[in-house]
Amino acid sequence: MANFETYQEYQRIEDFEEDSPPGEEDLLVHVPEGLKDSWHHIKNLDNFFTRISFQFHQKNGFACMMLSEFFELFQFLFVVIFTTFLFNCVEYDILFANRAVNHTEPGHNPLDRNKVSLPDAILPSQECTDRIQENSWIIFLLTMAAIFWVYRTVKVFCNVLNYWEIRQFYIKALNIRMEELCNFTWQEVQDRLISLQREQQMCIHKKELTELDIYHRILRFKNYMVAMVNKSLLPIQLQIPLLGNLVFLTQGLKYNFELILFWGPGSLFQNKWNLHPKYKRAGNRLELAQQLSRVILLMGVANLLLCPFILVWQVLYAFFSYTEIIRREPGSLGARRWSLYGRLYLRHFNELDHELHGRLGRGYKPTSKYMNSFTSPLLTVLAKNVAFFSGSVLAVLIALTVYDEDVLTVQHILTAITVLGVIITVTRSFIPDEHMVWCPEQLLQCVLAHIHYMPDHWRGQANKSETRDEVAQLFQYKAVFILEELLSPIVTPFILIFLLRNKSLEIIDFFRNFTVEVVGVGDICSFAQMDIRRHGNPLWMSDGQTEASVYQQAENGKTELSLMHFTIKNPRWQPPQESSVFISHLKEKVQQDAQGGPPTQLLLSEAPLCSSLLSNESGTGPDNLLASVLAYPILSASGLPGRDHRFAAPSTAGSAAASVLASLTVSHTQLPHAGRSRSHCTLPSARPDSTLYRSDRTVIESMSASDSQIKSTAMLSEFASAEMSLHAIYMHEVHQQNSLPHQRTSGHWQNNVPMRDVSRNIGGQTHSGHTAVSLSSVPTPLRLGGWTEEEEEDAEEEEILNSGSTPKQDSGVTVEVP
């Protein structure tokens, strides 16, 4: 264990009032008399913003949310009642024809005496009730289920009242009617919240709220989870004999982590916005670690005792949820999904759920293609033969049933047909398409463009099975997901008792060293500040701007990439000075590298061919823009006639990304938007009079012409995503150049610095040159970072030189540009 006392102790800012002080029950959200209503009594601003962001806006309003919650209640009730009925009220000997039923009662047809109907197998209500009453174990389980259901019912009715207040807030304060809610993006709702704060002071401890303040409140605990995964603090990577390194993170295990650390009894937070003061001092860290260890032990024991009940519920829920899908589409088990670990590993700091889902959704197809590019010749041979034998038997059974349907009455014949069909479907998934040829390196580059994070040792190793296995930890089979969730009640107690307890001291030190207090927000994870000076990495273009030690640096460029992502998503946000300097240096670097890259006209003129090479079926402007960059290395080495080979070197996607980013520098245009911004981004088709990019104007116009029917908000979102993808490609390219002389030969999944090893001297990290990326976007002026408008022309020109350009994600109106 490293000596964490050598690191800076938790520091508070000057004595400001806490945002949520004792007595906040009286007033946290203040509304003037003119708009006063029941919703002004909301007691916790964290819950307030969270409800607006996720439980109201993202779930499409009051009606959808309430229907979902009521159906969850009925779903639980149905599972409990139906399961009890199946175990106690059905005579299976009659149902399976193990016992004959003689229908000799009056009114029955004598010819039907051998036929069994469903009512014959169902016991009378009195006999069913007697069976349940005689089984004390069933009575106990039903009592526990009833208590839980009553608790959930009370909670749902409380939520009804809360969400009704939020509904009134949307209508009266934000002027958004419920029937129009689906037409508003989160950025537009957020802009109205920020404007409302200036007028009505919702937060009584801060005059103005920024976009970052709102994100901090919504993602307070999630940012901590992302940081702990980034620093390899949570015990979710397990070394299993014969199986090697496995990642195990399920919903149940994640729930226990959050319960222990954030909001459960004995957690580190004394409320939802403040870390307990005792955890902010280094003097009693050992005592606090022992206390946390006891809490983890108790939680582990509780999970062990509840394991049978949770396991039964998991099995029943999985059975009712997936059995019909497996019968209808057996191949669905072979489909892939982003794992829970992958969603934390790949998540930026301050990235909302819908932003993460959209980004990973764009990366689903290229990641699937990459995983499908791996084939096992031995497994292929076995799969072909198993499919042949199973198909032969199935063909005979089908032919017999066609000839005489009485074959279906033979015992287990339908079972055999179903099982053989499943076997054939599963085996065919292991047989590759003989006409398909993939390039793993190119596919992995496409994956990086969307997921934004890639360990250094993946570079040049895309065709290795080790790389594929590590990608599979992020992108797992659905069957693996189901199996992990079923095993979770058994495995979770042992992870808590034997692994997480050993991390108690490291967890205490982590929360002390990486927690800061923000006025009007409370205690947050310092990584979420995206502070280049405190958490930057010199190998990720932060050289000369960061003072972070190896322990304080975020891994895999998380700080730098998160800053870029947040700036693009929130173009009006004004970053602090260190971040502004970093962005300016990025812009300078990208302009320098663009001079040696291919012309943008050349790249975009070959966009259709690039899209074809990458099997891109959408063909939209942003997709073609990205495809032209990703496929450039292939085209530059192809020797195709008519290509200008002066630009064949350097034939890297990074140089192409720099060229495109440099060309997306927009000039300012005076356009009104809510009285705030002086420069905005609109599509050429939407505002033909707006100033387009200074260079490559006709190319960009033609690239967007095919999308003229698409709403500007959707187009801006797509261009913003494409821009961030270009940033990720470029920054990874420069990172590889900077770290090449000092590449570590670690074979581990993440080249992170374990929390327990931070005292080791990790040398050899030289400071690299700054790398630049232009924060620009679609044809229209956007403003990066939301710098305030200057009336003087000289001040305006100076601001343009010192800022970058970026598209606004999910906003239908503007993106600010330098």
Side-chain angles (χ1 to χ4, degrees):
M1 171 75 65
N3 183 11
F4 288 93
E5 295 182 23
T6 59
Y7 296 101
Q8 184 178 7
E9 189 178 349
Y10 175 89
Q11 296 292 328
R12 282 181 173 273
I13 55 179
E14 298 89 6
D15 271 339
F16 288 103
E17 273 190 293
E18 296 181 358
D19 176 57
S20 301
E24 73 152 355
E25 305 82 47
D26 299 329
L27 180 64
L28 182 59
V29 180
H30 171 71
V31 181
E33 292 293 332
L35 289 175
K36 210 163 188 179
D37 206 337
S38 59
W39 46 265
H40 79 284
H41 290 294
I42 295 174
K43 298 177 181 179
N44 183 280
L45 211 53
D46 277 18
N47 289 341
F48 178 71
F49 284 129
T50 302
R51 290 193 193 112
I52 291 178
S53 174
F54 300 108
Q55 299 181 12
F56 204 93
H57 178 267
Q58 294 301 309
K59 292 185 178 180
N60 301 309
F62 179 82
C64 292
M65 293 169 57
M66 289 303 96
L67 276 177
S68 298
E69 297 222 17
F70 279 118
F71 275 119
E72 285 180 7
L73 280 179
F74 289 120
Q75 188 180 77
F76 177 83
L77 197 62
F78 171 80
V79 170
V80 172
I81 294 176
F82 190 50
T83 304
T84 304
F85 171 81
L86 292 177
F87 276 100
N88 296 276
C89 302
V90 178
E91 192 66 55
Y92 289 98
D93 285 339
I94 296 177
L95 187 64
F96 297 152
N98 294 329
R99 193 175 71 192
V101 178
N102 190 8
H103 293 207
T104 58
E105 294 86 357
H108 282 284
N109 188 344
L111 297 178
D112 295 337
R113 65 178 58 187
N114 293 326
K115 290 186 177 180
V116 178
S117 61
L118 282 177
D120 294 331
I122 298 176
L123 296 176
S125 58
Q126 184 60 43
E127 186 175 351
C128 179
T129 304
D130 293 340
R131 281 193 177 188
I132 295 175
Q133 292 176 349
E134 292 172 359
N135 193 329
S136 58
W137 183 247
I138 294 294
I139 295 296
F140 172 74
L141 291 178
L142 290 177
T143 303
M144 297 295 295
I147 294 174
F148 177 78
W149 189 82
V150 170
Y151 163 76
R152 284 289 301 148
T153 302
V154 173
K155 190 172 181 180
V156 166
F157 278 103
C158 291
N159 287 340
V160 170
L161 299 178
N162 293 331
Y163 295 143
W164 182 261
E165 292 175 350
I166 298 297
R167 179 183 182 276
Q168 297 300 100
F169 176 82
Y170 263 82
I171 295 174
K172 297 184 178 181
L174 299 183
N175 296 319
I176 299 177
R177 294 181 299 174
M178 290 300 97
E179 56 269 22
E180 298 177 350
L181 181 61
C182 60
N183 298 325
F184 284 81
T185 64
W186 166 245
Q187 273 67 29
E188 291 170 326
V189 174
Q190 183 175 262
D191 289 343
R192 297 199 179 196
L193 284 171
I194 293 174
S195 299
L196 188 65
Q197 166 67 17
R198 296 195 193 97
E199 300 172 0
Q200 302 180 12
Q201 288 294 293
M202 293 185 300
C203 178
I204 62 177
H205 294 92
K206 198 169 187 179
K207 183 176 181 180
E208 289 195 10
L209 287 177
T210 67
E211 292 86 348
L212 190 59
D213 292 335
I214 296 176
Y215 275 65
H216 281 334
R217 285 188 173 277
I218 296 173
L219 300 171
R220 189 190 306 274
F221 297 150
K222 288 185 179 180
N223 281 328
Y224 273 110
M225 291 292 293
V226 172
M228 286 189 285
V229 170
N230 181 256
K231 299 298 289 184
S232 299
L233 180 59
L234 297 177
I236 54 182
Q237 298 191 32
L238 312 177
Q239 288 291 338
I240 307 297
L242 303 180
L243 297 179
N245 183 32
L246 296 179
V247 171
F248 187 87
L249 182 61
T250 62
Q251 293 289 351
L253 182 58
K254 179 174 175 287
Y255 177 84
N256 277 275
F257 286 157
E258 295 173 347
L259 188 66
I260 292 170
L261 299 175
F262 302 125
W263 49 269
S267 66
L268 279 63
F269 278 74
Q270 64 180 0
N271 47 44
K272 293 184 178 180
W273 52 86
N274 284 124
L275 188 69
H276 199 285
K278 63 183 179 182
Y279 294 104
K280 300 174 183 178
R281 298 184 293 269
N284 54 347
R285 54 192 290 269
L286 295 178
E287 178 185 348
L288 293 174
Q290 293 176 355
Q291 178 181 335
L292 179 61
S293 178
R294 288 192 296 268
V295 172
I296 296 173
L297 177 61
L298 292 175
M299 195 64 64
V301 172
N303 275 268
L304 196 60
L305 295 176
L306 294 174
C307 173
F309 311 105
I310 301 175
L311 181 60
V312 169
W313 171 257
Q314 292 282 67
V315 171
L316 291 174
Y317 187 83
F319 176 78
F320 290 131
S321 299
Y322 300 114
T323 301
E324 191 276 334
I325 296 177
I326 295 173
R327 184 199 65 81
R328 178 168 41 88
E329 298 178 12
S332 61
L333 292 177
R336 290 185 177 270
R337 65 187 302 278
W338 294 103
S339 66
L340 187 58
Y341 168 71
R343 292 175 184 274
L344 288 174
Y345 177 82
L346 300 175
R347 188 170 194 151
H348 294 294
F349 294 121
N350 302 309
E351 184 173 19
L352 294 173
D353 286 349
H354 69 276
E355 297 170 350
L356 175 67
H357 295 162
R359 180 164 62 87
L360 295 185
R362 295 183 184 94
Y364 185 89
K365 284 187 177 180
T367 311
S368 296
K369 292 177 182 177
Y370 172 75
M371 298 301 293
N372 293 335
S373 67
F374 288 84
T375 59
S376 170
L378 179 60
L379 190 59
T380 301
V381 172
L382 292 175
K384 286 182 178 180
N385 284 274
V386 171
F388 172 77
F389 294 125
S390 302
S392 301
V393 177
L394 180 61
V396 171
L397 294 178
I398 293 175
L400 291 174
T401 57
V402 171
Y403 177 75
D404 190 347
E405 63 180 10
D406 289 338
V407 175
L408 295 175
T409 62
V410 177
Q411 191 174 21
H412 301 313
I413 193 67
L414 285 177
T415 302
I417 292 175
T418 303
V419 171
L420 288 172
V422 171
I423 292 175
I424 292 172
T425 303
V426 172
T427 53
R428 283 179 178 172
S429 65
F430 294 101
I431 302 175
D433 186 350
E434 59 183 3
H435 304 294
M436 192 64 67
V437 178
W438 298 111
C439 175
E441 285 292 344
Q442 189 66 26
L443 287 173
L444 194 59
Q445 187 79 341
C446 295
V447 172
L448 170 64
H450 297 287
I451 68 175
H452 300 171
Y453 293 99
M454 186 176 76
D456 293 341
H457 62 272
W458 285 7
R459 177 74 61 153
Q461 305 294 323
N463 61 334
K464 301 294 184 181
S465 59
E466 292 81 2
T467 303
R468 180 199 182 276
D469 293 340
E470 292 177 358
V471 176
Q473 294 176 351
L474 307 175
F475 198 59
Q476 63 182 179
Y477 283 116
K478 191 170 185 178
V480 175
F481 162 75
I482 296 174
L483 180 61
E484 287 183 350
E485 291 296 331
L486 292 177
L487 293 176
S488 179
I490 301 174
V491 179
T492 295
F494 296 98
I495 292 180
L496 297 179
I497 295 173
F498 298 105
L499 298 179
L500 186 62
R501 286 180 63 209
N502 297 332
K503 299 267 189 179
S504 297
L505 185 56
E506 298 176 47
I507 292 173
I508 294 297
D509 290 328
F510 176 88
F511 277 87
R512 184 184 70 254
N513 293 321
F514 298 122
T515 297
V516 294
E517 183 177 2
V518 176
V519 175
V521 176
D523 291 335
I524 64 168
C525 180
S526 62
F527 285 104
Q529 290 286 82
M530 302 174 295
D531 188 346
I532 298 296
R533 179 183 57 82
R534 182 171 181 180
H535 296 302
N537 190 323
L539 296 180
W540 283 89
M541 297 156 284
S542 298
D543 184 22
Q545 304 173 54
T546 181
E547 303 171 0
S549 64
V550 175
Y551 169 61
Q552 295 170 324
Q553 295 169 2
E555 307 297 332
N556 298 316
K558 180 77 78 172
T559 300
E560 291 79 4
L561 287 168
S562 296
L563 175 62
M564 299 292 292
H565 181 267
F566 188 83
T567 307
I568 290 176
K569 291 290 184 179
N570 300 274
R572 298 187 181 197
W573 174 65
Q574 182 175 355
Q577 181 179 0
E578 295 83 0
S579 299
S580 298
V581 172
F582 173 78
I583 293 172
S584 298
H585 287 177
L586 287 177
K587 182 178 179 180
E588 293 172 5
K589 176 65 175 174
V590 81
Q591 294 287 349
Q592 295 172 5
D593 291 352
Q595 296 176 2
T600 308
Q601 298 96 325
L602 175 65
L603 288 170
L604 298 182
S605 64
E606 296 173 338
L609 175 59
C610 297
S611 298
S612 176
L613 287 173
L614 298 177
S615 300
N616 186 347
E617 300 175 356
S618 58
T620 61
D623 291 329
N624 288 338
L625 179 68
L626 184 58
S628 64
V629 172
L630 292 171
Y632 171 68
I634 297 178
L635 295 178
S636 63
S638 64
L640 292 177
R643 288 189 52 81
D644 191 343
H645 295 284
R646 293 177 301 167
F647 301 102
S651 59
T652 64
S655 61
S659 179
V660 174
L661 286 170
S663 70
L664 297 183
T665 302
V666 226
S667 59
H668 291 276
T669 300
Q670 184 76 20
L671 293 175
H673 176 68
R676 288 194 66 201
S677 174
R678 63 176 175 181
S679 64
H680 303 268
C681 179
T682 58
L683 291 176
S685 58
R687 297 190 62 89
D689 58 326
S690 62
T691 304
L692 300 179
Y693 299 99
R694 290 196 298 264
S695 61
D696 309 317
R697 172 174 178 173
T698 58
V699 178
I700 299 294
E701 276 188 311
S702 62
M703 183 182 63
S704 300
S706 61
D707 303 293
S708 59
Q709 302 300 324
I710 303 177
K711 291 183 179 180
S712 60
T713 53
M715 181 57 64
L716 285 174
S717 175
E718 293 301 318
F719 269 100
S721 299
E723 183 192 8
M724 184 60 210
S725 297
L726 296 175
H727 291 161
I729 294 170
Y730 178 74
M731 294 176 71
H732 273 270
E733 184 94 9
V734 178
H735 166 68
Q736 289 293 327
Q737 297 172 6
N738 293 337
S739 60
L740 188 61
H742 309 282
Q743 194 80 25
R744 283 178 237 166
T745 58
S746 171
H748 293 287
W749 157 220
Q750 297 183 52
N751 293 330
N752 294 357
V753 181
M755 303 294 289
R756 64 179 61 182
D757 298 332
V758 293
S759 61
R760 298 180 183 174
N761 181 18
I762 301 180
Q765 295 190 13
T766 60
H767 289 213
S768 57
H770 305 299
T771 304
V773 182
S774 172
L775 299 181
S776 56
S777 179
V778 289
T780 23
L782 318 176
R783 173 190 222 86
L784 170 63
W787 285 277
T788 55
E789 179 176 0
E790 303 285 348
E791 295 182 359
E792 296 80 12
E793 187 66 21
D794 292 340
E796 178 178 356
E797 293 177 357
E798 180 179 359
E799 182 181 357
I800 294 175
L801 293 175
N802 294 329
S803 53
S805 62
T806 179
K808 182 173 182 181
Q809 173 76 352
D810 293 337
S811 173
V813 195
T814 72
V815 185
E816 310 184 41
V817 173

